[in-house]
Amino acid sequence: MKINKNYQELSRDYLFSEVARRVAIFQEGHPEARVIRLGIGDVTQPICPVVMDAMKQAAEDETHPETFHGYGPEQGYDFLREELRKYYETFGVKLTDKEIFVSDGAKSDLGNFLDLLDRDNTVLVPDPVYPVYRDTNVMDGRRILYMRADRDNAFLPMPDPEQKVDVIYLCSPNNPTGAAYTRDQLAEWVAYANQQHAVILFDAAYESFIQDAEVPHSIFEIPGARTCAVEFCSLSKTAGFTGIRCGYTVVSEELVRDGMSLRDMWLRRQTTKFNGVSYPVQRAAAAVFSHEGQEGCAKNRRVYQENARVISETLYQLGIWHVGGKNSPYIWMECPEGMTSWDFFDDLLRRAQVVGTPGSGFGQNGEGFFRLTAFGTPEGTREAMERLARCYGKER
Ligand code: MLT
């Protein structure tokens, strides 16, 4: 038996596992410390009642022979795909039900979609980047090119028409930087991908946080995207499903490479390797798109947006450069006093008992930066910012 040696090329731990490991060690040595976690983007507000009522009702359905559900369609129940189709219509995007695939989350689909792609493809990823794009391709041994995202390009790298690539990862609003592409910028990417016959894997997990009208919610708002893009989205951040697990992927029927339909390939892959998301979870997901569900999600989102404002205001008062927090729940800040990302992580944990995510964990251009999430509780976020101000304020 031979193992996949590409795993040797990965860092020892996945970024958020490494963060959790260091926090656990600190907590063991300081059991009295009240650690505030603004590291991994995990939500804290409870799921709105109408959504959980739908799940409870679905659980009840399973106890009666006439409403019992066994295996469901691997690509998701029609009732949920229909809600998703209508949701996309609110952005002016027309999809067929066949193009929508329900899954247990964007992270799994982003990794699983690589089953469809030959190893001999060149992959373009931004740096800094959500580590899943990089690590899943390292696991497969694909060639990865990095595009520099930095203060000069407002962390929104644009295509280089001279560069030949096959697969392009874009995440907008961006994790980790919070930067978001405008319609015009995405149109440039779509034109480039079509011209190169490349495929854009577009991560829209944070679309519900968009506030600016010129920032598209979906890449399919851009003419030409149907022939070059796949979109991954999730209810984790939109509706608080980080624990419940439900996402969706849109593969256009017009996306064809080497004479093969990627939609058909994805259907084949999913029907072979996946048995679908549970019925109660899909009922809950469908309720997210009801009027009450949307209101409940918006209420929670306002809590996170206020957290983002508190973080941003604190950093502003401390004179710490930062971006994000407007169209996204992440704030991307420069580490104070010229510290490296991990040095600041340790310093902040030791002195303020606050956890964030080191920018260098997202790529080498993230070195010297740090990510804070707005998904904490309002009380925790305020206290974390008071501690940050005490530790890194000028008067100390
Ligand atoms: C993050 O903190 O970057 C995200 O929560 C991770 C994820 O969605 O998998």
Side-chain angles (χ1 to χ4, degrees):
M1 185 285 232
K2 291 198 172 102
I3 56 140
N4 179 352
K5 291 224 170 54
N6 295 317
Y7 276 65
Q8 291 172 347
E9 304 303 316
L10 295 164
S11 54
R12 190 189 62 177
D13 287 321
Y14 179 58
L15 172 60
F16 294 107
S17 313
E18 171 65 12
V19 167
R21 195 180 65 82
R22 291 198 190 204
V23 175
I25 292 171
F26 176 83
Q27 193 79 77
E28 224 178 275
H30 305 82
E32 74 301 339
R34 279 190 310 111
V35 173
I36 302 176
R37 290 161 205 267
L38 304 181
I40 192 164
D42 198 2
V43 293
T44 52
Q45 297 302 298
I47 294 174
C48 66
V50 69
V51 172
M52 291 327 286
D53 286 348
M55 188 186 250
K56 287 180 206 159
Q57 179 57 54
E60 177 65 27
D61 288 352
E62 296 298 73
T63 66
H64 304 286
E66 61 281 8
T67 49
F68 172 76
H69 291 72
Y71 287 125
E74 292 87 347
Q75 63 273 40
Y77 283 103
D78 286 349
F79 64 76
L80 175 54
R81 288 190 299 144
E82 178 58 13
E83 290 301 332
L84 289 164
R85 196 186 58 71
K86 287 195 285 192
Y87 181 61
Y88 270 87
E89 270 180 5
T90 64
F91 319 139
V93 172
K94 285 209 181 324
L95 300 174
T96 66
D97 288 349
K98 280 168 113 183
E99 296 175 322
I100 302 169
F101 294 81
V102 174
S103 73
D104 68 338
K107 179 178 172 181
S108 333
D109 275 9
L110 280 157
N112 293 337
F113 204 80
L114 299 182
D115 274 9
L116 276 50
L117 312 180
D118 195 277
R119 283 182 177 37
D120 188 20
N121 277 307
T122 300
V123 177
L124 184 63
V125 298
D127 178 352
V129 70
Y130 177 43
V132 170
Y133 315 153
R134 180 192 60 212
D135 289 357
T136 52
N137 279 289
V138 170
M139 287 171 181
D140 280 357
R142 279 193 199 84
R143 176 170 178 246
I144 303 176
L145 301 178
Y146 293 96
M147 46 182 165
R148 193 179 171 83
D150 56 20
R151 285 176 68 165
D152 291 342
N153 58 21
F155 292 96
L156 292 169
M158 295 303 294
D160 168 2
E162 302 303 316
Q163 193 167 41
K164 176 78 195 106
V165 299
D166 305 299
V167 183
I168 301 160
Y169 283 87
L170 296 179
C171 176
S172 178
N174 189 265
N175 177 13
T177 67
Y181 283 112
T182 63
R183 211 166 293 279
D184 288 349
Q185 288 172 320
L186 279 185
E188 238 183 272
W189 274 111
V190 165
Y192 169 73
N194 275 320
Q195 186 259 326
Q196 299 256 335
H197 301 290
V199 171
I200 297 176
L201 301 182
F202 189 79
D203 184 349
Y206 300 95
E207 62 80 17
S208 65
F209 286 84
I210 292 171
Q211 301 195 50
D212 288 342
E214 70 268 25
V215 175
H217 287 252
S218 162
I219 189 131
F220 295 111
E221 290 178 51
I222 310 298
R226 288 182 59 79
T227 53
C228 69
V230 179
E231 181 157 296
F232 301 86
C233 202
S234 158
L235 295 182
S236 286
K237 317 297 158 82
T238 302
F241 273 42
T242 50
I244 302 282
R245 308 304 311 151
C246 193
Y248 46 95
T249 290
V250 177
V251 194
S252 142
E253 293 192 81
E254 291 170 45
L255 184 58
V256 176
R257 290 292 180 273
D258 284 340
M260 289 183 74
S261 155
L262 271 75
R263 190 219 80 96
D264 293 354
M265 288 172 73
W266 183 238
L267 179 65
R268 188 69 174 84
R269 191 263 174 216
Q270 291 297 79
T271 47
T272 308
K273 294 196 182 181
F274 182 54
N275 260 336
V277 175
S278 76
Y279 171 70
V281 167
Q282 291 197 57
R283 277 290 177 202
V288 165
F289 298 97
S290 66
H291 179 68
E292 238 179 303
Q294 288 291 292
E295 278 189 343
C297 293
K299 185 166 158 248
N300 284 353
R301 199 158 51 240
R302 283 194 291 276
V303 171
Y304 302 137
Q305 283 162 341
E306 172 60 12
N307 287 346
R309 194 196 59 74
V310 168
I311 295 172
S312 188
E313 193 179 286
T314 307
L315 296 177
Y316 183 75
Q317 280 168 4
L318 292 173
I320 295 176
W321 182 92
H322 62 283
V323 280
K326 171 134 192 255
N327 294 303
S328 118
Y330 295 125
I331 286 91
W332 182 248
M333 59 179 279
E334 208 162 49
C335 299
E337 300 160 15
M339 277 184 261
T340 67
S341 302
W342 278 110
D343 282 352
F344 180 55
F345 173 90
D346 290 333
D347 201 61
L348 186 65
L349 184 57
R350 188 176 53 81
R351 290 167 61 195
Q353 287 91 58
V354 171
V355 180
T357 311
S360 56
F362 298 100
Q364 65 183 37
N365 288 326
E367 182 56 280
F369 292 92
F370 201 73
R371 193 193 77 174
L372 293 172
T373 158
F375 283 125
T377 61
E379 309 74 44
T381 304
R382 247 178 274 115
E383 184 167 347
M385 289 306 104
E386 280 161 18
R387 294 185 195 174
L388 190 96
R390 269 201 302 277
C391 293
Y392 300 96
K394 295 267 181 293
E395 69 278 6
R396 106 196 128 79

